Amino acid sequence: MSDHDTEDTVEDLPLDALPLDAWHRARGARMVPFAGYEMPIQYEGIVAEHTWTRENAGLFDVSHMGQLLLSGADLDAAVEAVLPIDLSTLKSGAQRYSLLLDEDGGVLDDLMVSRLDDGSLYLVVNGATKWDDIGTLREALPDDITLNHLDEHALLALQGPKAAEALARHVPDVAALTFMKFGQFTLAGHPVQIARAGYTGEDGFEISLPAEAAAEIADLLCAEPEVKPIGLGARDSLRLEAGLPLYGHDLSPETSPIEAGLVFGINKRRRTEGGFPGATRINREIVEGTQRKWVGLKLEGRLPAREGAEVFSGSEKIGTVTSGGFSPTLQAPIAMAYVASQYAAVGTQIEVEVRGKRLAATVSPTPFVPHRYFRGS
């Protein structure tokens, strides 16, 4: 699940406060505008927080993201007309990645869809796009489908190899969850919904909880020796190493899921049957291919390439970097970019222009750092 950095687009708009706003400030977080909120970008430093999460467990506040609940008669058919998901295979307690597309096959958002025991669907959408998503869904869904925005809920992500150990002291049954599964639990006396998922490439959990309980539960988890609060800066470097796209950078209405390598987000039955926004373009691209592809890049030297850096093969401009930075784990600069398809093969030697210099780079497989999702023992 990704998110959209809107620091440039919301600078003139009033910012909302997270349920944990005072909690972050009390712990010395540096707060920045992000997705319409003031969000903690770091506490003790991005590299230290990144490394701590890779080795222990980090607690991220992602309460800016939208939590939506859909219910009503013929819900699956109504949602399948909007999303390219096969809901016939989404069982109770399971979660799946999907995409909100426009009629031209451009990505309006990427999101997670979960099936609750009563058959209703729980969606988590990106913070910066949630109001547009709600508008799109309300317009597209029939009137007898109810959409509730769970804006009285907070969302915390506990990520890292020791996340399960720390959380299981308070919710022992979470040990039975595997990647992309969720359940209803009680944590510190509060009803919570916990999914074994996240956006760092590590094992971990996303915890949906009443906003009024957020500070109590954040304190409880951060009292565990494995857990520290982690800011958005490390979240971004972790997801970059994990090769996960960030909406607004790697995904946008100008990109199709096929260009972005997200064909897995369009379930097999839906590819055959169509019947979702953008199906004509997407099915054509599945068969014929695309003119550009999203790739991973490893750069020589230590200078990172940032979003917008141009990619070259000789004198020919062949693409643009969409995300980039210095990998604390690999101790090397890495990036992700769209390049012309003939240059997308792993091992292709290209160049990236950074600060007026051409840096040698190699098209590389992603993730850059292997995922460590828990899929069962």
Side-chain angles (χ1 to χ4, degrees), residues 61-78:
D61 183 1
V62 288
S63 300
H64 63 300
M65 303 183 81
Q67 300 183 64
L68 313 178
L69 187 63
L70 302 181
S71 60
D74 298 322
L75 176 63
D76 285 13

Side-chain angles (χ1 to χ4, degrees), residues 68 125 129-139 147 149:
L68 313 178
V125 304
T129 58
K130 64 184 175 187
W131 296 112
D132 287 340
D133 290 357
I134 290 170
T136 299
L137 291 168
R138 288 197 190 282
E139 185 174 351
L147 187 160
H149 179 201

Side-chain angles (χ1 to χ4, degrees), residues 39-256:
M39 301 279 294
I41 190 168
Q42 64 177 2
Y43 296 84
E44 58 183 300
I46 291 174
V47 173
E49 293 168 32
H50 178 112
T51 303
W52 179 269
T53 304
R54 283 272 181 253
E55 297 176 351
N56 297 280
L59 186 70
F60 300 80
D61 183 1
V62 288
S63 300
H64 63 300
M65 303 183 81
Q67 300 183 64
L68 313 178
L69 187 63
L70 302 181
S71 60
D74 298 322
L75 176 63
D76 285 13
V79 173
E80 284 193 355
V82 183
L83 305 179
I85 190 171
D86 181 358
L87 289 170
S88 69
T89 62
L90 185 67
K91 306 302 181 187
S92 175
Q95 187 178 67
R96 189 170 297 157
Y97 179 84
S98 192
L99 296 149
L100 187 61
L101 305 170
D102 65 21
E103 292 297 333
D104 295 324
V107 180
L108 297 175
D109 199 4
D110 61 341
L111 61 150
M112 302 301 293
V113 183
S114 303
R115 173 84 71 187
L116 303 184
D117 288 344
D118 63 1
S120 58
L121 297 172
Y122 166 77
L123 277 57
V124 179
V125 304
N126 282 307
T129 58
K130 64 184 175 187
W131 296 112
D132 287 340
D133 290 357
I134 290 170
T136 299
L137 291 168
R138 288 197 190 282
E139 185 174 351
L141 293 171
D143 291 342
D144 53 358
I145 299 299
T146 300
L147 187 160
N148 287 321
H149 179 201
L150 306 179
D151 55 355
E152 299 301 320
H153 283 62
L155 189 65
L156 302 178
L158 184 65
Q159 301 284 294
K162 297 181 181 178
E165 179 182 347
L167 184 58
R169 293 190 194 110
H170 304 281
V171 191
D173 289 346
V174 296
L177 293 178
T178 55
F179 182 57
M180 300 290 274
K181 297 293 191 299
F182 74 95
Q184 314 292 330
F185 302 93
T186 298
L187 176 54
H190 302 282
V192 298
Q193 179 170 290
I194 300 177
R196 198 150 193 168
Y199 201 61
T200 62
E202 294 291 337
D203 182 24
F205 304 89
E206 290 188 346
I207 307 167
S208 174
L209 67 162
E212 63 271 19
E216 179 186 354
I217 290 177
D219 277 340
L220 185 74
L221 295 174
C222 287
E224 297 298 335
E226 302 92 345
V227 181
K228 286 184 177 180
I230 305 295
L232 291 177
R235 183 172 182 258
D236 191 50
S237 57
L238 289 159
R239 73 92 195 166
L240 178 62
E241 288 184 348
L244 300 172
L246 182 65
Y247 191 84
H249 298 258
D250 309 292
L251 301 174
S252 75
E254 285 69 49
T255 60
S256 82

Side-chain angles (χ1 to χ4, degrees), residues 8-9 22 28 32 45 54 60 65 72 84 88 116 121 154 158 187 244 276 290 305 310 318 346 368 372 374:
D8 294 333
T9 57
V32 299
R54 283 272 181 253
F60 300 80
M65 303 183 81
S88 69
L116 303 184
L121 297 172
L158 184 65
L187 176 54
L244 300 172
F276 57 87
T290 58
E310 296 182 333
I318 62 168
V346 170
F368 299 102
R372 296 197 285 188
F374 178 71

